Amino acid sequence: MISPFAFARIPRIIFGTGKFARLAGIISGHCNNALVITSPGFPGRCRAWTQFSDELKKNSVEMHHTTISGEPSPDFVDATVFEYSGSDINVVISIGGGSVIDAGKAVSAMLHLNESVFDYLEGVGTGKEHPGSKVPFIALPTTSGTGSETTKNAVLSKIGVDGFKKSLRHDNFVPDIAMIDPELALSCPPAVTAACGLDAFTQLLESYTSTESSPMTDALAYSGLERLSRSLMESCNYGDNLDARADMAYAAMLSGITLANAGLGIVHGLAGPIGGFFDIPHGVVCGTLLAVATSTNIRVLTDMQNPDNPLLIKYARVEI
């Protein structure tokens, strides 16, 4: 018998090579004032950027552009909201890695509120509950890791002795559209590709072996693991392999969906606090902890002396 489960909402997903060319057309006719958030170097690396900005202008869409380096902080979100709060922004678009997407997600959530985002962060804020209002938000990942394009939370960080990594979270914060174009990841450097890929792998494995998993999350997680396992090394060593990039983008997208519905495990339980104390890429922390955490989980399950334990069977299936 299938145990009861619930499944959270997901964005409208537009997946495929070259889909970025459709973005301006999707915006035009619905919005006339767009805030676009990217990493600093993205416009120069993206061959289609000029065409995108020209098409927005042709369709009378005013584009405001800002950039973010590193993981987003509450201060960045507050400053960005303050800068654009009077600009009548009616769509926020993030084009970048998980940090850029989280930043845009938080900005879209705070543009309607005249308050600091810190007050709404889980565990460190003042305990205020966000009403869920937001400016429409579109996410376009340029890395394949966090799966933030399909989740409802934005992770914000403060690094240092009193540092933290905490979420701004609401069901309404799921992006309205997740546009996943593998071409956008072609310029992602090998080290970043590896770190992001290990984050996605960890999320898929932890949600697959979670006690909160369901047949739906199992099917999605295993599908992602199959694609990622055959393409992670290929995308690191041969970054221009579009088939490998598509596999990685697909796997990362699914990792966001499965973590949102099945939860994660001990690696992410440790990675959050570690990332608050030290300025280390999240995927590097996950990749460093993954082998030891997985072997520990398998040892504990084996000590239970139940060879039919479904979690052991799942670990064995992934190993094969």
Side-chain angles (χ1 to χ4, degrees):
M1 179 180 293
I2 296 176
S3 300
F5 68 91
F7 202 83
R9 59 173 290 195
I10 61 173
R12 176 190 175 195
I13 294 173
I14 301 173
F15 186 101
T17 301
K19 293 299 184 183
F20 178 58
R22 291 183 53 192
L23 179 59
I26 290 172
I27 298 167
S28 303
H30 300 282
C31 308
N32 58 17
N33 218 341
L35 172 59
V36 182
I37 303 174
T38 71
S39 59
F42 175 78
R45 295 192 306 269
C46 179
R47 292 174 297 176
W49 176 261
T50 300
Q51 179 183 345
F52 166 66
S53 56
D54 287 348
E55 190 171 346
L56 287 183
K57 193 177 300 182
K58 183 178 71 175
N59 288 287
S60 301
V61 178
E62 183 176 1
M63 181 178 75
H64 307 267
H65 177 226
T66 191
T67 63
I68 178 171
S69 298
E71 297 185 354
S73 67
D75 288 344
F76 171 85
V77 174
D78 288 350
T80 305
V81 169
F82 178 79
E83 181 177 357
Y84 294 104
S85 59
S87 301
D88 196 26
I89 301 296
N90 48 32
V91 64
V92 176
I93 303 162
S94 280
I95 310 173
S99 295
V100 177
I101 293 175
D102 281 355
K105 196 181 294 184
V107 168
S108 78
M110 297 305 298
L111 275 169
H112 285 157
L113 303 179
N114 189 26
E115 300 175 77
S116 172
V117 69
F118 180 81
D119 293 338
Y120 295 91
L121 292 181
E122 298 173 346
V124 294
T126 60
K128 286 188 175 182
E129 185 174 340
H130 198 287
S133 57
K134 71 168 187 179
V135 173
F137 177 59
I138 301 174
L140 293 88
T142 61
T143 61
S144 301
T146 68
S148 182
E149 64 270 18
T150 58
T151 67
K152 66 180 182 180
N153 62 304
V155 180
L156 305 183
S157 305
K158 177 181 177 182
I159 307 299
V161 176
D162 57 346
F164 59 80
K165 292 186 74 168
K166 297 293 182 179
S167 286
L168 174 71
R169 191 188 311 265
H170 194 284
D171 289 346
N172 291 347
F173 297 165
V174 173
D176 298 279
I177 298 174
M179 179 174 281
I180 299 145
D181 183 345
E183 282 189 345
L184 297 180
L186 288 176
S187 62
C188 188
V192 177
T193 299
C196 292
L198 286 169
D199 184 20
F201 180 85
T202 304
Q203 291 174 170
L204 289 165
L205 180 63
E206 289 195 316
S207 58
Y208 183 58
T209 56
S210 168
T211 56
E212 300 298 319
S213 66
S214 72
M216 282 188 68
T217 58
D218 283 353
L220 296 174
Y222 195 78
S223 176
L225 287 165
E226 287 184 312
R227 297 279 180 166
L228 191 148
S229 64
R230 78 184 188 190
S231 294
L232 175 56
M233 291 300 296
E234 185 74 15
S235 62
C236 291
N237 294 327
Y238 306 98
D240 59 349
N241 184 324
L242 197 51
D243 288 340
R245 292 292 191 183
D247 277 350
M248 295 298 294
Y250 172 79
M253 175 191 72
L254 292 185
S255 78
I257 296 173
T258 58
L259 78 82
N261 287 280
L264 295 170
I266 187 61
V267 173
H268 278 84
L270 293 170
I274 291 172
F277 281 109
F278 305 103
D279 187 14
I280 305 173
H282 177 70
V284 172
V285 178
C286 290
T288 302
L289 298 175
L290 182 59
V292 173
T294 301
S295 63
T296 300
N297 286 340
I298 292 174
R299 176 173 52 78
V300 171
L301 291 169
T302 302
D303 289 345
M304 293 179 180
Q305 297 184 345
N306 177 11
D308 295 325
N309 187 307
L311 296 180
L312 271 179
I313 294 171
K314 284 184 175 181
Y315 277 119
R317 188 181 182 203
V318 171
E319 186 177 0
I320 292 170

